[in-house]
């Protein structure tokens, strides 16, 4: 623990530099120099029953930037994403090893409250999953359970500002009491993003948020992610390399449960070091 | 950090403040769940221990070992008629019946009484009527039947095993409070004393109550009341259910699932079947009473009518389960069969049906088990009549196992019949558990193979 | 004996027909190498069908008419003067004697002159009619066989014809379920209608006194048949049952579905389902001899007067019976709520119970309401528990600690052992049955509709 904590106390720059030196010495450091590290994963493994899904993943994720996980389906990118807010706890038979530090705190510490963790690390899912409640109640839900609003006015404010940040307010302001399931797919997904923002998370995990959407809705969401980057640490899993290139600043490539390569997005796409990354980007695997 | 009024640190504090309360709620909720499960399991345990506790003693019964003498002094009777040459069937039968009537007129209790007196210690003072309360009242029929079967017994002494009376059995098993006064006791004081002596010297012993399975129901002789008639009645009904409900149910499911055009009519049939499955069983009884008994004039109290009613009740179960099984067959198998040039009928009967066979079997077993335990509709078609014979065909009067339970629980001799009823329940539950275990076994075998 | 002859004949005909059809089909295809449309089995089956159907039709007609014809013939053998002197019982005895003579069993007593001739004639008549029937069945069967066999040619679509016959058979099977419903409705409506010719429907549906008199106790006054005491009893018991079953069943389902480890689930679920397999008569006995006395004694210790047989006793035990029904239906429904919804709530930091209460249950609500309605329908139609444990006191009152009576109990009381359906005493059972049927039908239709809509929503 002490050693890890010490590592986190190092300046972000040194960690970043060290990582890049190890993996990708040619990385363009300038772009990320001012970003402190928010999340540090070391040697994370996941087993589902007897099957090992992740083999020793180590990665650092910088604050207020978008990190994309790419890789062919079944490569473990979503599994790793779900480790970051301990969603794997809800799957029977799943075991997670290794450490993940959020601001220097081990999130797998037995004393850590997973409820509190998830309030800090929000998540948006592959398929839009609004609750069978009104639009207002969907957004207000997180704030309500966590007791973030002292009164109705507070709650209204949280709902409105979250919807605004998700770029949905103008579209739904007249029908806040209608069911969230009545919205279009893209709107539903933005509703889910608003729902996640309403809790005031520090990190937002997005698990292929656009895979169920049409291109126009996808474009809107991508724009939204770019805006949210100002305020949040965002980790996005995507199967689309174009999307990763468009929205992310850093990219990690997963294959068969291993983290093959990570670095500044531009470098990964223009100048991959690893043969497998090359193959994937050229469309030869996946 | 954001434009809302709270900073990240404030927010975290708010979340933390609520945690204790929320986790308490979580634990409470979880406890409710555990309590609910414990209640449900507790009910199962309570019900089974209660029935077992009450029923198991009824599987043993007091037997009376006596030496009885077919004393010619007591039995004044002609020799049994022998068939003369050229005598017609009818004439011989009437002669024989005449002799049997004579035999029946004899007071066979005198033989038993003599046997009991012999077994009692010399000089034991007891009245005849009190003495006879020790043995079951139908013991005389047994002795008589021995004689009818073998008239040569006249003058001989044989040892027989007779059933002790229900009161004797209760006294020995301690079901009767021994401290009660004479006025409240079913058995007289000398009889009670003699029973205790008999128990000491081995004249009365406890044995497995075979009579429960080999005898028919009896009102006058509770200790010899058995389930054989009810078991046979249930057997006939289940036979009818299996023979009719399975082919009709499976055929109907195949038609609806595989052949019927998807139309309003088939929708209606589907709704109709689902509703039929939820119609109270007693309504089927009314149907049976009005249609089978009153219009078609089927015999009252017969397993035929009962079996038909239970068939109609079981049909929806089998249809629904079979349809579910057919739905579960992968489209790939169907397409493969059709792609090979099989007709729709060939596809269904050669490929789809064999795959679903285990599920259909399971559904059938569960349906039959359900039908086996059904009581209410049978009451309405007269199957609660008292029947003291074994039905040899499905159109003879009969009763059924659950109905027998209903009849026994209402018997005035509560003290004795509470145990008998519990024993009958155990027999019924034994059948049900066996059937369900077979169903579960088949299902797990099926799942392993799939 | 004759049954075996007929069955044997049919089997022989059937085998022969199949064989003949099959061999002719084979003969067509092998030497000449002609392409035959259908395979041999189908030709065989088709010929067998053509043979079987006419033969069975003849047998059916015979089975239907022969008792009447034999009866008529036997009567005709008795001389007119003797016949005139006989009453119904005497006629039956006379006919039995003739039948006994015909069967060779013989009779006791003196033979009257006409009896011997009549016996012989009857024996001859029976044999003859049996043989004629047999010949007719066999003849028609053979006729069908030859016709079908003549039809066999390479282009005959035997398979299609056999399949059409099969599908007609299957349609007949499906018709049974519909006929059952129609039979239920027809018998309940006609008999209930007959009841309403005795008793005004308003007095039945809104009457507050249930006091049927049995016809033997005095003609004229049929008694009073007010439904309300029975209806309140039924509803009271059902309400108590649901109060027991819904919380326990629902929480059991939730715990097993959401919290329990797979191993615990594997053990507990079947044990609870045992409760569903126990016959209701067993519950009734349990209520009568164990639960009722326990409640009475318990009431005594806390100074409350509880009858051993009461709405409470019956309701409690019925609730136990319904637990597995609620829990397994709710379990199915919870399984159908998509996982993504749960993940959504967890992802926001909801605790497990918050997820269940705020997201899962609202999403599953329609389905659970459907299950609830089905359970209510089952409770009001349940018979044996209430027959044994409710106390059979058809009095309009609201105290669940007292004996009550229900619709089902009264059906059993009014109809048991009585099937002549002549007076309102027994016919009222059908009016009660109709009421019960309509109540449960409405509940079932609404419930099944809700459940179906719920399934479609998440499919």
């Amino acid at each position: 623990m002490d050693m890890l904590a010490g590592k986190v106390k190092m300046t972000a720059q040194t960690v970043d530099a060290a990582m890049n030196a190890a993996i990708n010495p040619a990385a363009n450091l300038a772009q990320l120099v001012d970003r402190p590290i928010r999340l540090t994963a070391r040697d994370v493994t996941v087993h589902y029953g007897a099957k090992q899904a992740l083999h020793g993943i180590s990665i650092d994720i910088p604050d207020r930037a978008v990190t994309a996980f790419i890789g062919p389906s079944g490569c473990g990118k979503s599994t790793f994403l779900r480790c970051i807010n301990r969603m794997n706890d809800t799957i029977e038979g799943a075991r997670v090893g290794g450490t993940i530090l959020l601001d220097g705190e081990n999130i797998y510490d037995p004393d850590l409250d997973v409820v509190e963790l998830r309030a800090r690390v929000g998540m948006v899912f592959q398929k839009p999953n609004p609750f069978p409640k009104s639009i207002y109640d969907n957004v207000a839900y997180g704030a309500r359970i966590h007791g973030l609003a002292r009164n109705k006015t507070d709650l209204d404010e949280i709902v409105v500002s979250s919807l605004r940040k998700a770029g949905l307010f103008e579209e739904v302001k007249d029908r806040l009491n209608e069911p969230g399931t009545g919205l279009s797919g893209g709107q539903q997904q933005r509703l889910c993003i608003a729902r996640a923002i309403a809790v005031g998370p520090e990190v937002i995990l997005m698990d292929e948020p656009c895979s169920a959407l049409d291109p126009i809705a996808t474009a809107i969401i991508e724009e939204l992610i770019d805006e949210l980057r100002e305020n949040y640490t965002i980790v996005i899993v995507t199967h689309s390399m174009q999307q990763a290139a468009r929205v992310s600043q850093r990219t990690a490539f997963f294959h068969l449960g291993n983290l093959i390569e990570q670095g500044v997005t531009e470098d990964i796409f223009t100048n991959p070091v690893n043969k497998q990354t090359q193959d994937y980007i050229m469309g030869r695997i996946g | 950090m954001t434009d809302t009024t709270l900073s990240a640190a404030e927010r975290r504090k708010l979340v933390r403040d609520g945690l204790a309360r929320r986790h308490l709620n979580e634990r409470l909720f979880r406890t409710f769940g555990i309590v609910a499960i414990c209640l449900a399991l507790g009910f199962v345990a309570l019900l089974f221990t209660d029935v077992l506790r009450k029923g198991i003693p009824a599987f043993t019964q007091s037997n009376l070992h006596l030496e009885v003498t077919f004393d010619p002094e007591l039995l004044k009777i002609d020799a049994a008629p022998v068939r003369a040459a050229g005598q017609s069937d009818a004439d011989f039968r009437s002669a024989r019946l005449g002799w049997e009537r004579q035999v029946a007129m004899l007071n066979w209790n005198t033989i038993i009484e003599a046997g009991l007196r012999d077994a009692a210690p010399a000089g034991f003072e007891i009245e005849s009527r009190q003495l006879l309360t020790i043995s079951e009242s139908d013991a005389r029929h047994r002795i008589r039947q021995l004689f009818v079967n073998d008239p040569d017994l006249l003058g001989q002494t044989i040892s027989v095993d007779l059933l002790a009376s229900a009161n004797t059995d209760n006294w020995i098993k301690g079901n009767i409070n021994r401290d009660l006064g004479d006025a409240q006791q079913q058995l007289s004081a000398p009889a009670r004393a003699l029973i205790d002596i008999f128990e000491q010297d081995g004249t009365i012993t406890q044995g497995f109550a075979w009579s429960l399975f080999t005898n028919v129901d009896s009102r006058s002789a509770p200790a010899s009341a058995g389930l054989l008639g009810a078991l046979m009645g249930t057997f006939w009904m289940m036979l009818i259910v299996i023979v009719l409900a399975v082919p009709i149910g499976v055929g109907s499911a195949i038609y609806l699932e595989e052949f019927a055009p998807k139309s309003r009519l088939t929708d209606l049939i589907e709704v109709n079947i689902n509703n039929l499955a939820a119609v109270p069983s007693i309504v089927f009884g009314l149907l049976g009473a009005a249609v089978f008994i009153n219009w078609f004039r089927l015999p009252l109290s017969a397993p035929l009518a009962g079996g038909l009613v239970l068939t109609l009740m079981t049909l929806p179960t089998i249809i629904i389960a079979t349809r579910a099984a057919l739905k579960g067959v992968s489209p790939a198998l169907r397409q493969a069969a059709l792609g090979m040039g099989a007709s729709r009928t060939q596809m269904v009967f050669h490929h789809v049906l064999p795959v679903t066979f285990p599920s259909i079997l399971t559904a059938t077993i569960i349906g039959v088990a359900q039908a086996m335990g059904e009581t209410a509709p049978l009451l309405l078609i007269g199957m609660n009549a008292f029947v003291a014979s074994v039905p040899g065909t499905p159109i003879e009067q009969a009763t059924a196992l659950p109905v027998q339970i209903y009849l026994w629980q209402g018997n005035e001799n509560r003290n004795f019949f509470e145990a008998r009823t519990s024993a009958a329940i155990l027999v019924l539950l034994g059948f049900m558990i066996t059937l369900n275990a077979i169903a579960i076994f088949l299902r797990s075998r099926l799942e392993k193979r799939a | 004996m004759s049954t075996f002859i007929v069955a044997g004949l049919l089997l022989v005909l059937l085998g022969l027909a199949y064989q003949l059809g099959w061999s002719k089909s084979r003969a067509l295809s092998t030497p000449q190498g002609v392409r035959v449309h259908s395979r041999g089995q189908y030709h065989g089956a088709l010929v067998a069908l053509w043979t079987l159907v006419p033969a069975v039709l003849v047998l059916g007609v015979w089975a239907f008419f022969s008792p009447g014809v034999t009866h008529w013939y036997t009567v005709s053998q008795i001389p007119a003067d003797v016949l005139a002197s006989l009453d119904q019982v005497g006629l039956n005895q006379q006919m039995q004697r003739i039948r006994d003579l015909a069967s060779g069993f013989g009779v006791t007593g003196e033979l009257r002159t006409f009896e011997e001739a009549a016996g012989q004639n009857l024996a001859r008549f029976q044999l003859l009619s049996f043989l004629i029937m047999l010949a007719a069945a066999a003849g028609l069967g053979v006729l069908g066989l030859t016709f079908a066999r003549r039809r066999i040619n390479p282009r005959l679509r035997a398979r299609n014809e056999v399949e059409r016959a099969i599908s007609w058979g299957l349609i007949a099977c499906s018709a049974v379920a519909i006929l059952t419903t129609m039979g239920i409705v027809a018998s309940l409506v006609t008999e209930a209608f007959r009841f309403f010719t005795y008793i005004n429907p308003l007095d039945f549906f809104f009457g507050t006194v249930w006091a049927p008199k049995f016809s033997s106790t005095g003609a004229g006054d049929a008694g009073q048949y007010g439904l309300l005491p029975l209806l309140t009893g039924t509803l009271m018991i059902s309400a108590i049952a649901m109060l027991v079953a819904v919380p326990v069943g629902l929480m059991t389902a939730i715990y097993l579905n959401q919290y329990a480890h797979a191993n615990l689930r594997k053990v507990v679920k079947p044990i609870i389902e045992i409760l569903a397999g126990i016959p209701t008569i067993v519950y009734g006995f349990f209520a009568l001899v164990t639960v009722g006395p326990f409640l009475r004694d318990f009431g005594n210790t806390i100074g409350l007067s509880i009858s051993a047989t009461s709405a409470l006793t019956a309701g409690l035990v019925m609730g136990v019976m319904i637990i597995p029904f609620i829990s397994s239906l709710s379990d199915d429904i919870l399984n159908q709520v998509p996982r993504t919804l749960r993940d959504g709530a967890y992802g926001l930091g909801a605790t497990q119970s918050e997820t269940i209460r705020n997201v899962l249950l609202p999403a599953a609500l329609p389905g659970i309401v459907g299950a609830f309605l089905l359970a209510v329908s089952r409770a009001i139609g349940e018979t044996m528990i209430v027959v044994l444990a409710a106390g059979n006191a058809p009095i309009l009152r609201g105290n669940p600690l007292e004996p009550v009576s229900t619709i089902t109990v009264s059906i059993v009381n009014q109809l048991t052992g009585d099937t002549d359906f002549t007076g309102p005493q027994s016919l009222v059972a059908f009016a009660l049955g109709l009421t019960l049927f309509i109540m449960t039908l409405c509940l079932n239709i609404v419930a099944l509709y809700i459940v179906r809509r719920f399934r479609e929503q998440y499919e």
Side-chain angles (χ1 to χ4, degrees):
Chain A
M1 268 318 281
D2 283 342
M3 200 187 75
L4 279 173
K7 225 178 230 177
V8 176
K9 278 187 199 123
M10 289 192 291
T11 65
Q13 212 173 340
T14 49
V15 172
D16 216 53
M19 293 295 287
N20 279 327
I23 299 165
N24 185 0
N28 181 355
L29 298 178
Q31 223 180 359
L32 292 164
V33 165
D34 58 334
R35 302 269 188 261
I37 296 297
R38 207 62 205 264
L39 276 162
T40 309
R42 286 295 173 270
D43 213 15
V44 173
T45 57
V46 173
H47 293 258
Y48 291 123
K51 191 177 155 272
Q52 186 163 9
L54 282 185
H55 306 269
I57 308 295
S58 299
I59 189 171
D60 291 306
I61 290 168
D63 189 23
R64 296 190 201 191
V66 178
T67 305
F69 293 168
I70 60 170
S73 50
C75 65
K77 55 192 192 297
S78 286
T79 304
F80 182 61
L81 188 76
R82 294 170 67 93
C83 291
I84 300 173
N85 68 345
R86 290 183 55 179
M87 282 300 281
N88 282 327
D89 290 12
T90 65
I91 297 170
E92 226 169 274
R95 279 176 294 123
V96 181
T99 47
I100 299 177
L101 306 181
L102 172 61
D103 290 342
E105 246 182 292
N106 183 6
I107 66 167
Y108 282 92
D109 187 327
D111 292 335
L112 178 126
D113 195 316
V114 68
V115 168
E116 198 192 336
L117 169 72
R118 289 186 193 144
R120 292 173 64 196
V121 183
M123 190 160 190
V124 176
F125 297 86
Q126 188 168 7
K127 216 180 131 214
N129 55 353
F131 301 138
K133 298 171 186 282
S134 70
I135 294 172
Y136 182 94
D137 287 336
N138 258 289
V139 181
Y141 180 69
R144 275 201 183 118
I145 56 170
H146 292 300
L148 296 181
R150 276 172 301 248
N151 49 42
K152 179 82 171 94
T153 330
D154 272 13
L155 195 62
D156 287 350
E157 200 190 309
I158 291 175
V159 170
V160 171
S161 79
S162 305
L163 281 171
R164 257 189 231 286
K165 273 187 261 174
L168 192 62
F169 185 69
E170 292 304 317
E171 291 164 59
V172 300
K173 65 182 175 196
D174 300 327
R175 42 181 179 147
L176 289 177
N177 288 318
E178 286 173 29
T181 44
L183 297 173
S184 76
Q187 287 174 324
Q188 284 189 12
Q189 195 62 298
R190 275 181 285 153
L191 179 64
C192 292
I193 293 174
R195 189 174 70 185
I197 294 172
V199 183
E202 294 146 41
V203 180
I204 299 178
L205 308 176
M206 296 186 172
D207 189 356
E208 303 197 23
C210 303
S211 67
L213 303 182
D214 62 67
I216 293 170
T218 304
I220 295 173
I221 302 267
E222 283 179 8
E223 219 170 285
L224 175 59
I225 293 171
D226 211 45
E227 283 169 25
L228 292 172
R229 173 165 67 92
E230 303 286 318
N231 292 317
Y232 302 94
T233 304
I234 296 177
V235 185
I236 177 170
V237 162
T238 174
H239 62 273
S240 151
M241 283 173 289
Q242 290 84 346
Q243 187 171 63
R246 282 193 299 265
V247 302
S248 73
Q249 285 74 53
R250 292 187 59 93
T251 295
F253 172 64
F254 286 73
H255 189 47
L256 298 175
N258 290 301
L259 176 60
I260 305 297
E261 186 169 356
Q262 58 165 329
V264 175
T265 301
E266 231 168 75
D267 295 340
I268 294 272
F269 279 95
T270 52
N271 196 9
V273 175
N274 191 286
K275 172 83 169 59
Q276 279 170 313
T277 319
Q278 258 173 28
D279 285 348
Y280 181 67
I281 286 165
M282 305 300 282
R284 281 195 285 262
I285 52 173
Chain B
M1 183 168 182
T2 63
D3 61 342
T4 36
T5 47
L6 296 167
S7 73
E10 282 171 324
R11 215 189 301 269
R12 283 184 69 174
K13 187 177 174 323
L14 279 176
V15 173
R16 283 221 167 115
D17 290 347
L19 282 177
R21 180 183 47 83
R22 290 169 67 195
H23 285 305
L24 179 69
N25 280 344
E26 170 74 26
R27 274 195 298 278
L28 268 176
F29 191 76
R30 216 181 255 252
T31 314
F32 283 147
I34 293 171
V35 167
I37 287 185
C38 291
L39 275 175
L41 294 181
F43 285 133
V44 180
L46 187 67
L47 200 140
F48 274 86
T49 46
D50 188 54
V51 175
L52 281 172
R53 194 173 53 79
K54 291 200 168 87
I56 282 180
F59 284 104
T60 59
Q61 203 169 2
S62 308
N63 293 312
L64 198 56
H65 312 283
L66 289 182
E67 303 281 320
V68 295
T69 309
F70 293 87
D71 186 350
E73 289 294 307
L74 297 173
L75 307 171
K76 299 209 167 32
I77 185 140
D78 307 332
V82 182
R83 184 165 191 163
Q87 193 178 27
S88 80
D89 264 351
D91 281 334
F92 175 68
R93 269 176 69 110
S94 91
R96 172 85 192 174
L97 276 174
W99 180 77
E100 279 180 17
R101 211 169 293 132
Q102 261 188 313
V103 172
M105 296 297 280
L106 294 169
N107 187 1
W108 290 91
N109 277 337
T110 52
I111 304 272
I112 296 164
E113 193 192 327
L116 283 166
R117 279 204 196 282
D118 288 347
F124 191 89
E125 292 279 338
I126 185 166
E127 284 175 36
S128 307
R129 203 143 46 84
Q130 294 175 353
L131 188 61
L132 282 170
T133 57
I134 295 176
S135 70
E136 189 45 281
S137 62
D138 73 338
R140 61 179 193 273
H141 303 309
R142 267 216 52 200
I143 301 289
R144 185 184 68 205
Q145 201 54 46
L146 284 175
F147 180 71
V148 170
N149 293 343
D150 182 9
D152 297 337
L153 284 175
L154 197 64
Q156 292 185 35
T157 298
I158 58 168
S159 76
V160 288
D161 279 2
L162 297 172
L163 288 175
S165 71
N167 287 329
T168 308
D169 194 55
N170 272 335
W171 179 256
I172 289 173
K173 283 181 182 155
N175 294 341
I176 296 176
N177 186 351
R178 289 177 176 240
D179 300 329
L180 289 178
D182 272 359
Q184 285 142 299
Q185 291 285 6
Q186 300 273 354
L187 294 161
S188 62
R192 299 200 303 269
L194 186 57
I195 290 168
D196 288 339
I197 294 169
F198 279 167
E199 206 203 346
Q200 296 274 312
D201 68 16
T203 308
I204 292 179
T205 57
Q206 298 287 315
F208 186 76
W210 290 110
S211 63
L212 192 61
F213 300 96
T214 56
N215 283 8
V216 292
D217 193 13
S218 170
R219 272 181 181 167
S220 55
S224 72
L227 291 171
L228 185 61
L231 286 172
M232 274 312 283
T234 290
F235 167 78
W236 284 121
M237 285 197 292
M238 292 308 111
L239 194 69
I240 291 169
V241 169
I242 291 170
V243 166
L244 290 180
V246 176
I248 294 178
V250 173
S252 159
I254 289 175
Y255 178 74
L256 292 175
E257 196 58 42
E258 304 283 342
F259 292 96
K262 296 281 168 267
S263 66
R264 251 163 199 246
L265 184 71
T266 41
D267 256 13
L268 195 72
I269 297 176
E270 167 146 15
V271 171
N272 168 46
I273 289 173
N274 284 334
N275 272 313
L276 216 49
V279 167
S281 62
I282 190 147
V283 172
F284 283 93
L286 287 169
L287 170 78
V291 175
F292 295 138
I293 307 288
N294 209 32
W295 293 356
F296 292 165
R297 297 273 159 207
L298 291 188
L300 203 60
S301 313
L304 177 62
L308 289 177
V309 168
L310 294 182
T311 300
L312 296 184
M313 262 187 60
T314 315
L315 264 184
T317 313
I318 295 184
I319 296 177
I320 291 170
T322 309
R323 286 191 70 175
L326 290 173
K327 265 201 193 96
V329 175
S330 84
L333 180 67
R334 292 158 196 277
Q335 279 152 15
L338 290 177
M340 299 283 292
S343 70
R344 227 184 155 66
T345 316
Q346 285 169 327
M347 170 196 86
V348 171
F349 284 89
H350 297 176
H351 302 282
V352 177
L353 210 51
V355 179
T356 57
F357 176 73
S359 326
I360 294 174
L361 199 65
T362 315
T364 306
I365 293 171
I366 288 170
V368 167
Q370 230 171 35
M372 187 183 266
E374 198 53 68
T375 322
L378 303 182
L379 297 183
L380 301 191
I381 52 169
M383 297 208 62
N384 55 342
F386 169 74
V387 180
S389 61
V390 180
T393 64
I395 53 168
E396 282 171 40
Q397 290 224 322
T399 182
L401 202 47
V403 182
Q404 189 71 69
I405 292 168
Y406 172 68
L407 293 173
W408 278 0
Q409 64 77 29
N411 193 294
E412 308 86 54
N413 195 341
R414 274 291 277 279
N415 220 342
F416 185 75
F417 268 98
E418 193 167 297
R420 276 264 139 145
T421 311
S422 301
I425 285 176
L426 287 178
V427 173
L428 181 63
L429 288 180
F431 277 117
M432 310 286 266
I433 288 171
T434 313
L435 283 175
N436 280 301
I438 294 173
I440 288 169
F441 173 75
L442 285 176
R443 193 162 50 189
S444 71
R445 277 283 297 266
L446 161 80
E447 274 166 8
K448 226 169 269 168
R449 248 195 303 173
Chain C
M1 179 61 190
S2 56
T3 329
F4 285 115
I5 296 180
V6 172
L9 180 91
L10 278 182
L11 273 179
V12 169
L13 259 180
L14 211 59
L16 195 71
Y18 183 86
Q19 186 59 34
L20 285 174
W22 183 78
S23 61
K24 173 144 182 197
S25 159
R26 276 292 289 273
L28 278 179
S29 58
T30 26
Q32 297 135 15
V34 185
R35 226 188 110 66
V36 181
H37 173 273
S38 302
R39 287 169 60 201
Q41 296 96 298
Y42 287 102
H43 287 285
L46 186 61
V47 175
L49 267 176
W50 272 95
T51 314
L52 189 69
V53 172
V56 168
L57 276 179
V58 170
L59 289 176
V61 168
W62 186 74
F64 190 77
F65 287 110
S66 81
V69 174
T70 315
H71 185 270
W72 165 82
Y73 183 82
T74 319
V75 174
S76 78
Q77 291 299 305
I78 304 172
D81 55 323
V82 180
L83 197 61
S85 70
L86 291 170
D87 60 353
Q88 190 57 47
V89 180
L91 180 68
N92 284 345
Q93 282 171 354
Q94 184 61 63
M95 285 174 60
Q96 187 58 47
R97 279 173 75 83
I98 296 178
R99 275 198 291 271
D100 283 347
L101 281 170
S103 69
F105 181 71
V107 290
T108 54
E110 203 174 314
L111 265 186
R112 294 168 74 176
T113 41
F114 73 89
E115 281 180 337
E116 190 157 13
Q120 281 168 8
N121 285 344
L122 181 60
R124 211 174 311 133
F125 176 78
Q126 279 173 334
L127 183 68
L128 202 68
S129 64
F130 179 68
L131 287 178
I132 288 175
M133 178 278 298
L134 217 55
L140 268 183
V142 171
L143 217 65
L145 193 162
T146 23
F147 171 71
R149 189 162 185 271
R150 292 255 308 263
R151 284 179 71 219
I152 294 178
N153 67 53
R155 269 167 313 155
L156 178 70
R157 295 169 168 265
R159 182 176 52 77
N160 306 39
E161 290 190 15
V162 171
E163 287 177 355
R164 208 171 313 134
I166 290 175
S167 75
W168 277 110
L170 295 179
I171 289 175
C173 290
S174 316
V176 173
I178 300 172
L179 287 176
T180 308
T181 308
M182 279 167 35
I184 288 175
V185 173
S187 57
L188 290 182
V189 168
T190 52
E191 305 292 344
F193 186 77
R194 279 175 61 200
F195 170 73
F196 289 133
T197 61
Y198 293 98
I199 304 289
N200 187 335
L202 290 178
D203 291 343
F204 174 70
F205 287 112
F206 301 105
T208 54
V209 178
W210 177 265
K213 291 207 175 68
F214 281 94
S215 40
S216 57
T217 59
D221 182 17
Q224 284 175 283
Y225 297 89
L227 175 69
L228 290 182
L230 308 181
L231 193 63
T232 49
T234 302
L235 295 181
M236 202 194 296
I237 290 177
S238 306
I240 296 170
M242 297 316 285
L243 281 178
V244 174
V246 171
V248 177
L250 195 58
M251 282 312 288
T252 304
I254 289 173
Y255 192 88
L256 288 182
N257 192 287
Q258 297 291 316
Y259 287 104
H261 192 262
N263 289 334
L264 180 71
R265 197 159 51 225
K266 233 184 271 171
V267 176
V268 173
K269 251 188 97 156
I271 294 182
I272 290 175
E273 273 166 18
I274 288 179
L275 282 173
I278 294 174
T280 55
I281 178 81
V282 179
Y283 283 107
F285 181 74
F286 179 63
L288 179 68
V289 303
T290 307
V291 178
F294 169 77
L295 285 177
R296 186 192 52 211
D297 298 345
F298 179 71
N300 282 340
T301 56
I302 61 166
L304 206 61
S305 139
I306 304 178
S307 295
T309 54
S310 66
L312 183 66
T313 311
L316 274 182
V317 175
M318 196 187 286
V320 174
M321 180 194 87
I322 293 176
I323 288 172
F325 191 75
I326 298 256
S327 78
S328 68
L329 271 175
S330 306
D331 189 42
D332 281 355
I333 284 157
L334 288 175
N335 274 334
Q336 273 165 20
V337 176
R339 220 197 134 77
T340 55
L341 270 187
R342 278 202 288 154
D343 283 355
Y346 287 142
L348 288 175
T351 62
Q352 208 166 354
S353 66
E354 283 163 350
T355 305
I356 293 165
R357 280 182 290 138
N358 304 335
V359 177
L360 213 55
L361 287 183
L365 190 66
I368 289 171
V369 169
F372 175 80
L373 293 181
L374 281 178
V376 171
S377 134
R378 180 167 267 223
I380 64 176
E382 170 48 41
T383 310
M384 292 324 290
I385 295 176
V386 281
V387 164
L388 294 187
N392 191 22
I395 301 160
L396 190 62
R397 59 184 164 204
N399 184 355
L401 309 181
E402 303 253 6
V404 294
S405 186
T406 69
I407 296 177
T408 49
V409 170
S410 299
I411 293 176
V412 170
N413 287 344
Q414 296 306 117
L415 207 59
T416 298
D418 186 8
T419 43
D420 52 355
F421 305 166
T422 46
Q425 288 84 2
S426 54
L427 286 175
V428 69
F430 291 92
L432 292 171
L434 187 64
T435 315
L436 185 66
F437 181 69
I438 291 173
M439 283 168 73
T440 53
L441 187 72
C442 292
L443 283 171
N444 295 343
I445 287 182
V446 173
L448 291 169
Y449 176 76
I450 293 175
V451 171
R452 198 162 153 177
R453 280 287 301 274
F454 172 75
R455 293 218 164 113
E456 279 162 6
Q457 184 191 335
Y458 288 119
E459 248 164 25

